[in-house]
Amino acid sequence: MEDKTMVEAALFAATAPLKVEDIVSRTGLDEASVRYALKDLRMEYDFRGSAIMISVAGGAYRMMLRPDCQKFTGVFARPEIPGGVMRTLSTIAYNQPVLQSKLVKVRGPRAYEDVHILRDMGLVSARSVGQTVELSTTPKFAEQFGIGSNSKAAIRKWIEDNAANMRQADGGESAPQDPNDVQ
């Protein structure tokens, strides 16, 4: 089996992003071969305009759909994150850091359960602030959505760039709400 094929299979089968060291230890390939295969795969997918891409964030690689192709996933696959939970996540991501008390005023009491789900998934972190918690996205959030950075600016730009696709996949729902607009 070719080195590139082994690396591609590892990325396809992985349930989480993989670091070069992970691929080396699990395939028995040397580091240079893995790095070359990753570079070659990324260029190959880009060159042929594939719906698949290999994203890198925080030194870890993952195979995923290109953002402009994600609008088709709802037709063929059941979403991992239910629509209401996704709306809560996008509200947190766009407005982070956001107090849970303000989030509940905008999203309603369901936000408590949504936040619990998102924290269990490792997409949102919370830190105590008085009698509430302040919510922010984690690096796993940026990795899972292929954003490339966990900076507020990068996340906000990604959400704005993908808002039309998000509304279409969500049946026309509005973009993330701003908890700071609560009167």
Side-chain angles (χ1 to χ4, degrees):
M1 183 183 300
E2 251 186 79
D3 294 353
K4 184 169 75 169
T5 303
M6 291 173 65
V7 171
E8 186 176 35
L11 291 170
F12 179 80
T15 57
L18 297 174
K19 293 188 178 276
V20 170
E21 307 84 63
D22 298 329
I23 300 170
V24 166
S25 70
R26 294 177 188 167
T27 62
L29 297 171
D30 61 86
E31 184 177 333
S33 296
V34 170
R35 289 189 186 283
Y36 181 80
L38 287 166
K39 182 179 176 184
D40 196 32
L41 285 167
R42 292 182 82 193
M43 288 187 337
E44 181 180 318
Y45 290 151
D46 286 345
F47 178 75
R48 69 176 186 184
S50 174
I52 297 169
M53 65 181 271
I54 296 176
S55 115
V56 61
Y61 296 83
R62 94 179 269 176
M63 184 180 284
M64 61 185 289
L65 283 177
R66 290 192 185 286
D68 58 326
C69 295
Q70 290 177 356
K71 61 186 169 195
F72 301 113
T73 60
V75 177
F76 299 102
R78 199 166 145 213
E80 258 182 63
I81 303 173
V85 177
M86 183 61 89
R87 285 188 292 280
T88 298
L89 176 59
S90 64
T91 300
I92 293 167
Y94 193 80
N95 298 290
Q96 66 181 307
V98 62
L99 295 177
Q100 182 169 277
S101 57
K102 288 189 176 187
L103 180 68
V104 169
K105 287 179 183 175
V106 170
R107 296 284 306 140
R110 71 159 297 138
Y112 290 114
E113 180 62 24
D114 291 351
V115 168
H116 179 74
I117 291 167
L118 294 167
R119 288 181 71 189
D120 284 350
M121 293 176 78
L123 299 174
V124 170
S125 65
R127 77 174 182 90
S128 294
V129 176
Q131 294 183 357
T132 190
V133 292
E134 184 179 75
L135 304 167
S136 297
T137 58
T138 64
K140 182 178 178 182
F141 167 82
E143 290 171 8
Q144 182 160 334
F145 291 94
I147 299 171
S149 168
N150 201 40
S151 76
K152 289 183 222 178
I155 291 170
R156 211 171 239 238
K157 181 177 179 346
W158 184 87
I159 290 171
E160 290 167 356
D161 290 349
N162 290 280
N165 292 342
M166 290 165 47
R167 277 192 295 277
Q168 185 179 19
D170 200 26
E173 289 283 337
S174 63
Q177 297 163 301
D178 186 346
N180 297 315
D181 285 346
V182 175
Q183 305 303 327

